[in-house]
Amino acid sequence: MSLTIYLNGEYVKEEEAKVSVFDHGLLYGDGIFEGIRAYHNRVFKLDQHIDRLYENAHSIMLDLWLSKEEMKEVVLETLRKNDLRDAYIRLVVTRGYGDLGLDPAKCPKATIFCITAKIQLYPQELYDNGLVVNTVATRRNSNEATNPRFKSLNYLNNIMAKIESKLTGTIEAIMLNNEGHVAEATGDNIFIIKNGVLITPPTYAGVLEGVTRNAVMEIASQRGMEVKETLFSRHDVYSADECFLTGTAAEVISVIKVDGRVIGSGKPGEITKELNAEFRELTKHDGPIIFKD
Ligand code: PMP
């Protein structure tokens, strides 16, 4: 069945959802996006995703011609048009149509589109048994170049790491920053647990401030765990009791081996499983309702 896509103020069939070859999102990766998730007829953490999108737009001086409320309604209405209550949502804003030069001032209007679809990033078996990952040589972009906090359309840094990862036979990789500290995975944030303390790199380590990351940190604090945002090295990962990744698409997924080193017991850790269960519970209650009836 053909999906219905929101594109620049209209809902169109996916066959008609086309953007210009002069769009700077395509020509230069000039734009930003959000990956959002709907669970149980609600859009999980919609406010946080929309806030991040607008903060990113402000930072890159991209003028959004929809208010935050209108943007939220776009997400909800696209889901309704596709009769979806559980879905992955991709909201994209590009600099828009311009000329062949870099200058964003030549792009009069941002392109906005929203796709809603079903996805499963990893097979269930990997959630049950955990992921094996390796560190790759490609370093995460420096904050002073293209800040990884921007969820920008330019994902080549992550894609290069993904290619490298697949060459080593793994589907996800750990990326270090230029100082050699652990930053994040190619499309997920990373956590370790040591002696009951939950540890994740701070945003200045060169990471996206993941919505799932923040939700998991909140869950952990609420259950009385100590939560630390601090720099750490690969050695800390190797000697952690547990390790897991978080992301909107991946959710919470255990890591059981890194660079050939078994992490903890070599099985998904108990605390990770509990955090995951609480995360799943949260998805039942958080966010605006899609279909009111
Ligand atoms: N880091 C990167 C590089 C990402 O692309 C993503 C999103 N896929 C994340 C972290 C996780 O962020 P979120 O929890 O907001 O999806």
Side-chain angles (χ1 to χ4, degrees), residues 230-249:
T230 187
L231 296 171
F232 57 87
S233 69
R234 282 194 290 171
H235 171 69
D236 298 301
V237 180
Y238 303 155
S239 48
D241 301 325
E242 301 185 25
C243 176
F244 63 88
L245 307 180
T246 62
T248 296

Side-chain angles (χ1 to χ4, degrees), residues 20-24 26-28 96-104 106-107:
S20 164
V21 293
F22 289 94
D23 193 295
H24 279 209
L26 179 60
L27 287 176
Y28 296 116
Y97 174 98
D99 68 12
L100 289 177
L102 277 181
D103 188 357
K106 303 271 179 62
C107 305

Side-chain angles (χ1 to χ4, degrees), residues 136-157:
V136 289
T138 305
R139 295 289 169 113
R140 194 71 178 100
N141 281 334
S142 119
N143 285 340
E144 287 71 37
T146 316
N147 193 329
R149 284 185 75 181
F150 299 151
K151 206 165 162 54
S152 103
L153 289 181
N154 196 324
Y155 252 52
L156 206 48
N157 181 224

Side-chain angles (χ1 to χ4, degrees), residues 13-151:
K13 288 281 150 212
E14 66 179 88
E15 301 75 29
E16 290 142 36
K18 306 232 165 83
V19 295
S20 164
V21 293
F22 289 94
D23 193 295
H24 279 209
L26 179 60
L27 287 176
Y28 296 116
D30 183 357
I32 49 178
F33 72 102
E34 281 299 318
I36 313 170
R37 200 76 179 252
Y39 296 97
H40 314 286
N41 194 28
R42 288 176 180 273
V43 184
F44 185 62
K45 301 280 177 201
L46 182 59
D47 284 346
Q48 284 84 341
H49 283 285
I50 297 297
D51 285 348
R52 183 168 70 183
L53 184 79
Y54 278 71
E55 280 168 16
N56 283 178
H58 180 66
S59 239
I60 69 164
M61 302 183 92
L62 175 59
D63 188 24
L64 283 172
W65 44 269
L66 288 177
S67 68
K68 282 190 182 181
E69 284 314 308
E70 287 166 335
M71 197 65 94
K72 286 182 211 170
E73 192 48 36
V74 162
V75 171
L76 291 164
E77 190 57 23
T78 313
L79 287 162
R80 288 184 202 119
K81 295 251 189 257
N82 289 284
D83 198 25
L84 287 168
R85 287 162 177 80
D86 290 89
Y88 180 80
I89 301 142
R90 178 57 63 90
L91 184 57
V92 181
V93 185
T94 81
R95 190 75 63 177
Y97 174 98
D99 68 12
L100 289 177
L102 277 181
D103 188 357
K106 303 271 179 62
C107 305
K109 194 173 180 201
T111 300
I112 303 177
F113 59 89
C114 181
I115 307 168
T116 56
K118 294 261 178 205
I119 60 152
Q120 190 184 11
L121 192 63
Y122 298 127
Q124 186 56 38
E125 186 258 321
L126 290 179
Y127 289 95
D128 297 338
N129 300 329
L131 274 180
V132 174
V133 302
N134 290 323
T135 313
V136 289
T138 305
R139 295 289 169 113
R140 194 71 178 100
N141 281 334
S142 119
N143 285 340
E144 287 71 37
T146 316
N147 193 329
R149 284 185 75 181
F150 299 151
K151 206 165 162 54

Side-chain angles (χ1 to χ4, degrees), residues 52 140 151 155 158 184 186-189 208 210-212 247-248:
R52 183 168 70 183
R140 194 71 178 100
K151 206 165 162 54
Y155 252 52
N158 315 59
E184 59 181 342
T186 68
D188 297 312
N189 290 110
L208 183 75
V211 169
T212 323
T248 296

